[in-house]
Amino acid sequence: MGFSLMRNQKFMPTIKHLLIISIAINAGLLLKLLHHEHEWAGLPGPDTNQKNEVRLVKDVLHKAKPATDQYINLDHGDPTMYEVYWKQMGDKTTLVLSGWQSISYFSDTKNHCWFLEPGFANAVTRLHNLVGNAQTRNYHIVVGTGSTQLFQAALYALSPSNAPEPMSIVSASPFYSSYPLIIDCLKSGLYKWKGDASKFNKDDPYIELVTSPNNPDGSIRQAVVNGSEGILVHDLAYYWPQYTPISFQANHDIMLFTVSKCTGHAGIRIGWALVKDKEVAKKMTKFIEISSIGVSKDSQLRAAKILDVIADTYEHTEKFDKATLFFHYVYNEMAKRWRQLRSAVSKGQTFSLLDFPVEKCNFSGQRFGTQPAFAWLKCEKSIDDCEKFLKKHKILTRSGTHFGSNENYVRISLISHKEEYDEFIRRLSLLSSMNSPHE
Amino acid sequence: MGFSLMRNQKFMPTIKHLLIISIAINAGLLLKLLHHEHEWAGLPGPDTNQKNEVRLVKDVLHKAKPATDQYINLDHGDPTMYEVYWKQMGDKTTLVLSGWQSISYFSDTKNHCWFLEPGFANAVTRLHNLVGNAQTRNYHIVVGTGSTQLFQAALYALSPSNAPEPMSIVSASPFYSSYPLIIDCLKSGLYKWKGDASKFNKDDPYIELVTSPNNPDGSIRQAVVNGSEGILVHDLAYYWPQYTPISFQANHDIMLFTVSKCTGHAGIRIGWALVKDKEVAKKMTKFIEISSIGVSKDSQLRAAKILDVIADTYEHTEKFDKATLFFHYVYNEMAKRWRQLRSAVSKGQTFSLLDFPVEKCNFSGQRFGTQPAFAWLKCEKSIDDCEKFLKKHKILTRSGTHFGSNENYVRISLISHKEEYDEFIRRLSLLSSMNSPHE
């Protein structure tokens, strides 16, 4: 029918028909693309079944402000603050994983760390070289299921297997609350938690954990024992320019980092160690082989992609908007949150915070004081138990008692969702300006 | 200018213009779509930079047959055999992960196992219900970084923290070679490896590890100690219908499974435990919280997708080709490999293999004998050290001595790349038919 119509009609209607067909094709293609864009942005098209993604999109887009009678949980350092940045970056960090990937246990049989994805190792090296926070030349990279696993790998590698007594592990108070839990979890005969480093007898062999900037209090740290038989492990999870000035390129024997506190991807569970001594790196690898037969490839591939995009925004500035400079963006957010916090605290005499010395950051060129991921808040006046007091006002924090300190202090996460943080600041301002905050 | 042109021209050219514009839009949309399709299939578009994927595609497509003077490594149970199946499935199991996913540590705050992705839990339940190999009703699911981490979590959960002596851990010989290494790695005060279960004094408290089908020898197992103070942990990594008839729905107290040996995705590092007792599940969760602050979300999402596609091929048969039925496909491949192996061994008196009783599989309806992922090969005649003998002929295997057995035996992985396997069979056939295979 179409053919005979063509022959019997004049020229004009045929062009009109072509136009109609062409517009119809336009519409069809647009619909198909829209469907694709939906999938690309993590929103499923009509016939896909990606429930998890839908849930996550909802979480990101519709994070509700907590109601005034709702608890705000700032006990954990859950870095949900970062979601907004990565959402804004759209599909630049989208990763496509095919069904036949991650079959083999092995990532690189030529590397002593045989489960290390070469792309992840490259991305780690590239980012350190960009930021200048740690040396990578002549270091061995070991990847772990978060820096938590690497920390255990380091203890395993550094503790002699045939010593008459377990190796003493110490850290200056206030120390990361998980250290004692992890170390004594299995009642290991290789090592044992011995608490505050400043009270340690320096004649015995020991491993000192130096966390800098420190969790919980943000202080810049160096080893305190300085005994002749000491080995140091540096936890540098927070040594990134959004939290603290990068004043030197760290070159310690063992340095631990984690994606969780660098990019905010805590659910990826990826950390890495930079290790000077090859034999130590090999023993750490052995531990991870025994305890989990390596580390998720999928997570390493995702982490590589994310770290590479961060480096790209700085190295290919012509392609990226200024607002996409990762460390600058997060630095500004942290600065704003610390201004809000200090302003709330200064409203009265109820609370106090530490001050941090101002230093020059070699990465950004700016001068600023550390603006840690956690606040180490002190309750003044008549408040004996700071955690209890805040809990009464529906703010969940972690008591100083968990960090080898006392109950006058609490650790508060500052890297949660904006909506939660704003509500926290509102409540803290009220409490701060109360005249007599009896419990 | 466009406006005055419209007013001064006749109608026809305007329609023509519209047509040209419409066709140009079509071309543009088509190009954009084409680019999308490229990315969707896991192949990078022209301006993306997914080196890892390209590398992996090459690995899969161009796996070279080992040269006759090259070592074949069948020491590890690296399940590379599975790559061909998943490659064949194309983009059905492709997963797209957006940059803002996997930020939070938490997956499901309402679940005692707060790091368990709900989609993964659903997929696990669905697959067990499909296969009928394990009960899931009234069980608690705990996810782990492979079943290796879950096994340690179980030991932690089941060993009393205040006992005067460490809990004894036993398993009938030949047992999985990693058990003693994992258990004694940190010289734990909670538990201790006590070796062969059949030699254990049944009056003391103990945990017996029951692996069925067994690694290394494929035997179907039950507890052997049967003491009054025993606790059982069942490692059911190989209780899937490609390896053994599903003759009953397992309902033990603690059952461990792993994606590695079910779907072949070892590099994902995901395992799960089905646990009857809620308090045990909670303590296992606690161990994983302490030792790695949860489990990779990315890996859980990938595992969920893969398990769901397997279930889809059986539940929506109208949409899938018969060749895509996962367990049927892999069953056939295992059957073929076992035929090749038995044929090679039967060429002479050099080697021998166990026979497995034939049973009915409730899943497939077929009757067959176990066709394990490993061969437990015995060297006969004058060969004292089977591992050494095979190594001389460039076949790397694992000596029986690692499994609590002796050097007459070796464990050989049967789930490597086809090219490797075929070359292994060629070499074994030659050795088998030699008259006097002196070392």
Side-chain angles (χ1 to χ4, degrees), chain A residues 43-80:
Chain A
L43 289 162
D47 59 358
T48 62
N49 187 23
Q50 293 168 311
K51 283 181 209 142
N52 286 314
E53 299 202 9
V54 177
R55 191 174 51 76
L56 271 161
V57 174
K58 276 191 189 155
D59 283 356
V60 174
L61 298 180
H62 308 296
K63 183 73 196 172
K65 190 181 159 180
T68 46
D69 62 341
Q70 236 179 337
Y71 278 103
I72 302 176
N73 193 339
L74 303 173
D75 174 356
H76 307 279
D78 203 25
T80 48

Side-chain angles (χ1 to χ4, degrees), chain A residues 28-53:
Chain A
L29 287 173
L30 257 175
L31 272 174
K32 193 157 165 60
L33 246 179
L34 222 62
H35 172 65
H36 264 289
E37 299 283 0
H38 261 283
E39 285 168 339
W40 201 242
L43 289 162
D47 59 358
T48 62
N49 187 23
Q50 293 168 311
K51 283 181 209 142
N52 286 314
E53 299 202 9

Side-chain angles (χ1 to χ4, degrees), chain B residues 36-48:
Chain B
H36 264 290
E37 299 283 0
H38 260 284
E39 286 168 337
W40 199 243
L43 290 164
D47 59 357
T48 62

Side-chain angles (χ1 to χ4, degrees), chain B residues 399-410:
Chain B
S399 169
T401 54
H402 297 284
F403 303 90
S405 178
N406 63 53
E407 51 204 12
N408 295 141
Y409 289 90
V410 289

Side-chain angles (χ1 to χ4, degrees), chain B residues 9-10 94-95 106 117 128 202 207 229 237 241 246 313 322 332 342 351-352 383 425 429:
Chain B
Q9 305 278 326
K10 285 185 195 155
T94 297
L95 185 68
F106 298 93
E117 282 290 316
H128 281 305
K202 51 178 81 183
I207 296 170
E229 294 211 58
I246 303 302
T313 63
K322 228 189 153 185
N332 286 331
R342 291 203 186 272
F351 308 112
S352 69
I383 304 166
I425 289 292
S429 298

Side-chain angles (χ1 to χ4, degrees), chain B residues 85 89 92 126 130 308-328 363:
Chain B
Y85 175 84
M89 289 297 277
K92 287 187 188 66
R126 188 179 168 205
L130 172 76
D308 271 337
V309 167
I310 293 177
D312 282 346
T313 63
Y314 285 96
E315 290 174 3
H316 302 285
T317 43
E318 75 286 358
K319 283 193 207 164
F320 292 91
D321 193 271
K322 228 189 153 185
T324 63
L325 293 175
F326 175 76
F327 292 114
H328 287 69
F363 172 70

Side-chain angles (χ1 to χ4, degrees), chain B residues 65-312:
Chain B
K65 190 180 161 183
T68 46
D69 63 340
Q70 237 179 336
Y71 278 103
I72 303 175
N73 193 338
L74 303 173
D75 174 357
H76 307 278
D78 202 25
T80 48
M81 172 185 87
Y82 286 86
E83 273 181 5
V84 174
Y85 175 84
W86 292 112
K87 187 74 201 160
Q88 178 185 305
M89 289 297 277
D91 63 6
K92 287 187 188 66
T93 41
T94 297
L95 185 68
V96 180
L97 288 163
S98 299
W100 42 263
Q101 287 189 260
S102 312
I103 297 273
S104 176
Y105 287 103
F106 298 93
S107 291
D108 184 0
T109 48
K110 286 181 190 72
N111 194 321
H112 70 88
C113 187
W114 52 266
F115 47 80
L116 172 64
E117 282 290 316
F120 176 69
N122 288 342
V124 159
T125 306
R126 188 179 168 205
L127 195 70
H128 281 305
N129 292 348
L130 172 76
V131 173
N133 61 339
Q135 273 190 25
T136 54
R137 222 182 138 183
N138 300 324
Y139 274 85
H140 304 277
I141 299 175
V142 183
V143 65
T145 311
S147 59
T148 302
Q149 188 183 31
L150 288 162
F151 160 66
Q152 294 160 79
L155 299 188
Y156 170 81
L158 299 170
S159 304
S161 61
N162 51 4
E165 288 291 314
M167 177 72 107
S168 299
I169 318 292
V170 297
S171 188
S173 166
F175 43 72
Y176 177 32
S177 53
S178 291
Y179 286 152
L181 299 179
I182 298 168
I183 293 165
D184 287 343
C185 168
L186 295 180
K187 298 190 170 185
S188 173
L190 295 183
Y191 48 73
K192 199 172 166 48
W193 174 246
K194 287 287 181 73
D196 190 354
S198 60
K199 292 175 187 153
F200 185 72
N201 168 15
K202 51 178 81 183
D203 298 332
D204 297 333
Y206 67 93
I207 296 170
E208 181 176 349
L209 309 169
V210 183
T211 312
S212 184
N214 190 38
N215 175 357
D217 69 357
S219 59
I220 301 302
R221 291 212 158 169
Q222 288 184 320
V224 303
V225 183
N226 297 319
S228 57
E229 294 211 58
I231 308 174
L232 303 180
V233 174
H234 281 80
D235 183 344
L236 303 185
Y238 302 94
Y239 192 45
W240 294 102
Q242 67 265 49
Y243 301 122
T244 193
I246 303 302
S247 56
F248 72 106
Q249 195 177 34
N251 61 350
H252 310 293
D253 288 346
I254 300 179
M255 301 184 275
L256 307 182
F257 292 92
T258 170
V259 166
S260 311
K261 299 301 155 56
C262 171
T263 76
H265 291 82
I268 281 189
R269 307 308 313 122
I270 289 289
W272 68 94
L274 300 179
V275 185
K276 250 186 203 162
D277 187 291
K278 194 178 177 179
E279 293 311 309
V280 172
K282 275 185 177 171
K283 262 195 102 175
M284 288 177 69
T285 299
K286 192 77 195 165
F287 176 82
I288 292 170
E289 179 183 326
I290 292 174
S291 70
S292 61
I293 324 184
V295 175
S296 163
K297 282 186 180 184
D298 312 84
S299 287
Q300 289 186 66
L301 293 177
R302 276 209 70 202
K305 179 94 183 184
I306 292 160
L307 298 184
D308 271 337
V309 167
I310 293 177
D312 282 346

